[in-house]
Amino acid sequence: MTSVAIGPADQLDPRLLEHRRELTGYCYRMLGSSFDAEDAVQETMVRAWRGLGDFEGRSALRSWLYRIATNVCLDQLSGRKRRALPMDIAGSPFPPVQASLAGRRPATAWVEPVLDRQVLPEDGDPAERAVAKESIRLAFVAALQHLPPRQRAVLILREVLRWKADEVAELLETTVASVNSALQRARATLAAAGGVPEPRPLDADDRELLARYVDAFERYDIDAFVQLLHEDATQHMPPFEMWLRGREDIGTWMLGPGSKCRGSKVIALTANGSPAFAQYRLREGGGREPWALHVLETDGGRIAHISSFLDLDTPLFRTLGLPTLID
């Protein structure tokens, strides 16, 4: 193979860069963090840049990059506790009072969101894109965190990316029998953890619901807002341990500890295969600053769940490529 000149990390060989998005999706599923995924992909690219001159086509470039990315992720996961969502940690809802904000954990404790545009292919086979979309939903990513790292890699490579067992065995330097055994154990662990809810595509009624949701939130009409929620709707908001159940409690909380969100503006997005909104809260001195990314789940014409990721302990909005100030 003819050696290709490679520059600094931001001027990498285009053959490496064309795989960046799919590698980000893989690392995100492995690590449960958009920040860690970006870091892992950057490290993967640097290692590949350094080794490309010796690559000499001994295996497909894509497979080689996945091998590097897998090793980077396994290194990152070594000795770490699993990331989770508040509903996985606290056994029962919190009362909707100020004390609900007393429990707080560091950013490394929580599964983080990711924007669809960071990890999903822009085009390609619709069926493959649908699988990719389902596999970044928060419930699935949180469930993956129950798996030991190598089982996690096997399940993602086999079930999400549709690699053959012998390809995964070669990547992990193990046997096909070991890969099949790991996959069986991973499936059993996910089933014991409650499985993963089946997603449902948005229809015209859902889009109308989301438009009404945005309107009520920006007007801070909480009476109208809670009418859009299921009676047993849930909400959690990392980095706080709290989670709420029931539209009455959610409304009470928003008029209490959450009342500083009055006057916010939102930007509609898609994150984790779901409708989402980036919220910007009024700040002293004018303008609005990042506050939270809300990932929504709908069911039966109502909002069933709100995952509110606050921009507090990590530069979430900057990591996701979102504006850091709006009017």
Side-chain angles (χ1 to χ4, degrees), residues 118-196:
Q118 292 179 290
V119 296
L120 294 183
E122 292 181 329
D123 47 29
D125 181 82
E128 291 182 1
R129 183 176 169 83
V131 170
K133 192 169 185 176
E134 291 177 23
S135 68
I136 60 167
R137 290 183 184 271
L138 285 168
F140 184 71
V141 174
L144 284 174
Q145 308 311 302
H146 288 271
L147 302 177
R150 287 178 69 86
Q151 283 187 29
R152 198 179 308 175
V154 167
L155 184 121
I156 295 168
L157 291 166
R158 291 283 284 121
E159 304 259 287
V160 177
L161 301 177
R162 308 300 190 193
W163 284 39
K164 297 177 181 178
D166 60 337
E167 294 172 329
V168 178
E170 182 179 356
L171 182 145
L172 293 175
E173 298 181 333
T174 187
T175 64
V176 170
S178 293
V179 167
N180 290 335
S181 175
L183 180 59
Q184 186 176 9
R185 294 197 305 274
R187 287 170 174 166
T189 300
L190 290 188
V196 181

Side-chain angles (χ1 to χ4, degrees), residues 19 74 93 164 185 189 209 222 246 309:
H19 297 284
L74 294 177
K164 297 177 181 178
R185 294 197 305 274
T189 300
L209 168 65
I222 301 305
F309 297 92

Side-chain angles (χ1 to χ4, degrees), residues 11-55:
Q11 299 174 4
L12 291 170
D13 188 304
R15 292 174 300 166
L16 302 181
L17 295 176
E18 69 182 22
H19 297 284
R20 178 181 281 274
R21 183 177 296 196
E22 65 171 307
L23 287 171
T24 302
Y26 175 63
C27 293
Y28 173 70
R29 296 176 187 98
M30 283 289 293
L31 301 171
S33 161
S34 50
F35 183 83
D36 285 354
E38 289 289 344
D39 189 51
V41 171
Q42 185 64 20
E43 176 64 20
T44 298
M45 292 293 163
V46 170
R47 292 188 190 184
W49 164 46
R50 290 171 177 164
L52 190 58
D54 299 325
F55 177 62

